[in-house]
């Protein structure tokens, strides 16, 4: 059985430590823990690390397009490998959850997240799993689009490694035991921001 696990983010060093790239960070953690390297996919702008565990294969993918254009390469790989949306997990940042919070869901609204909107379009359905990683809301009147493209603050950095590891564990739990098991074991409430 093959699962496609896609971490959303933006390519390039300028974005590597930003809030918007927490999905990529989880993808890196999954590949790293299995000692697998990412390899460029021919004719599709994304990298994939292939992790085998018994009869389960995880294709951990990082689109090489910008976040808001993530859908076409994810959709292309899913069709090429004949992976049904019920076996697709997308990992992404979520400003509507406090920093460090984590939620898992199947389908539903994208809440205006442009990366998710692109994936829904690329897969032609909203019915895929989402691992939502809380990065908190911007302070004051800051534009959310600018906020997610900033690096985590020094104060926030302590939360990031545990959030990333929790995201990786959640993916493993979801694949092994299903949605309810992942929700019961890995939902996190995070920290309240102090504005």
């Amino acid at each position: 059985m093959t699962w496609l696990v896609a971490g959303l983010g933006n390519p390039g060093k300028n974005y590597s430590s930003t809030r918007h790239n927490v999905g990529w960070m989880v993808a890196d953690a999954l590949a790293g823990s299995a000692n697998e390297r990412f390899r460029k996919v021919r004719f599709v702008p994304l990298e994939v690390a292939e992790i085998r565990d018994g009869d389960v294969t995880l294709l951990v993918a990082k689109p090489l397009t910008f976040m808001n254009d993530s859908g076409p390469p994810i959709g292309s790989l899913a069709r090429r490998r004949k992976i049904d949306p019920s076996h697709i997990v997308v990992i992404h940042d979520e400003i509507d959850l406090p920093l460090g919070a984590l939620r898992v869901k199947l389908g539903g609204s994208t809440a205006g997240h442009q990366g998710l909107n692109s994936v829904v379009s690329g897969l032609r359905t909203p019915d895929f799993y989402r691992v939502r990683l809380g990065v908190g809301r911007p302070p004051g009147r800051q534009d959310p689009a600018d906020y997610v493209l900033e690096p985590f603050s020094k104060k926030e950095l302590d939360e990031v490694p545990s959030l990333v590891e929790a995201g990786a564990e959640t993916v493993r739990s979801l694949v092994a035991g299903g949605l309810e098991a992942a929700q019961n074991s890995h939902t996190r409430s995070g920290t309240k921001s102090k504005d």
Side-chain angles (χ1 to χ4, degrees):
M1 182 188 311
T2 301
W3 286 74
L4 171 54
V5 179
L8 299 191
N10 285 314
K13 282 189 176 168
N14 290 352
Y15 298 103
S16 62
S17 61
T18 64
R19 296 179 182 96
H20 226 17
N21 271 44
V22 73
W24 263 36
M25 294 174 199
V26 173
D28 286 336
L30 282 165
S33 66
N35 291 317
E36 292 294 343
R37 289 198 344 257
F38 284 92
R39 291 176 173 80
K40 175 82 178 65
V41 176
R42 288 183 70 193
F43 311 121
V44 183
L46 83 175
E47 296 178 331
V48 169
E50 192 163 323
I51 301 170
R52 293 177 189 275
D53 184 10
D55 61 350
V56 175
T57 299
L58 293 188
L59 300 179
V60 181
K62 298 194 301 187
L64 299 175
T65 54
F66 282 98
M67 163 92 66
N68 295 355
D69 296 316
S70 300
I74 292 171
S76 178
L77 183 65
R79 284 185 287 280
R80 183 189 284 196
R81 296 294 294 262
K82 296 181 171 55
I83 302 170
D84 189 80
S86 65
H87 283 80
I88 295 175
V89 183
V90 174
I91 312 158
H92 64 90
D93 62 302
E94 179 67 74
I95 64 169
D96 290 329
L97 293 175
L99 177 67
L102 187 153
R103 299 284 188 280
V104 195
K105 73 175 193 171
L106 172 62
S109 162
T110 64
H113 191 295
Q114 295 305 316
L116 280 181
N117 285 339
S118 179
V119 176
V120 168
S121 177
L123 294 176
R124 303 178 189 134
T125 178
D127 297 328
F128 52 87
Y129 292 100
R130 298 101 185 267
V131 175
R132 304 162 62 214
L133 304 169
V135 297
R137 292 202 68 79
R141 295 169 179 249
Q142 185 179 8
D143 183 343
D146 294 335
Y147 173 75
V148 294
L149 291 175
E150 290 177 352
F152 286 100
S153 70
K154 282 185 181 166
K155 230 183 341 186
E156 293 170 328
L157 278 175
D158 289 345
E159 282 282 343
V160 176
S162 69
L163 178 60
V164 167
E165 185 47 44
E169 279 299 320
T170 301
V171 170
R172 294 184 196 106
S173 174
L174 178 62
V175 168
L179 179 61
E180 193 174 338
Q183 289 173 328
N184 290 341
S185 304
H186 298 286
T187 295
R188 291 166 45 123
S189 54
T191 57
K192 298 287 178 223
S193 61
K194 302 170 187 70
D195 290 340

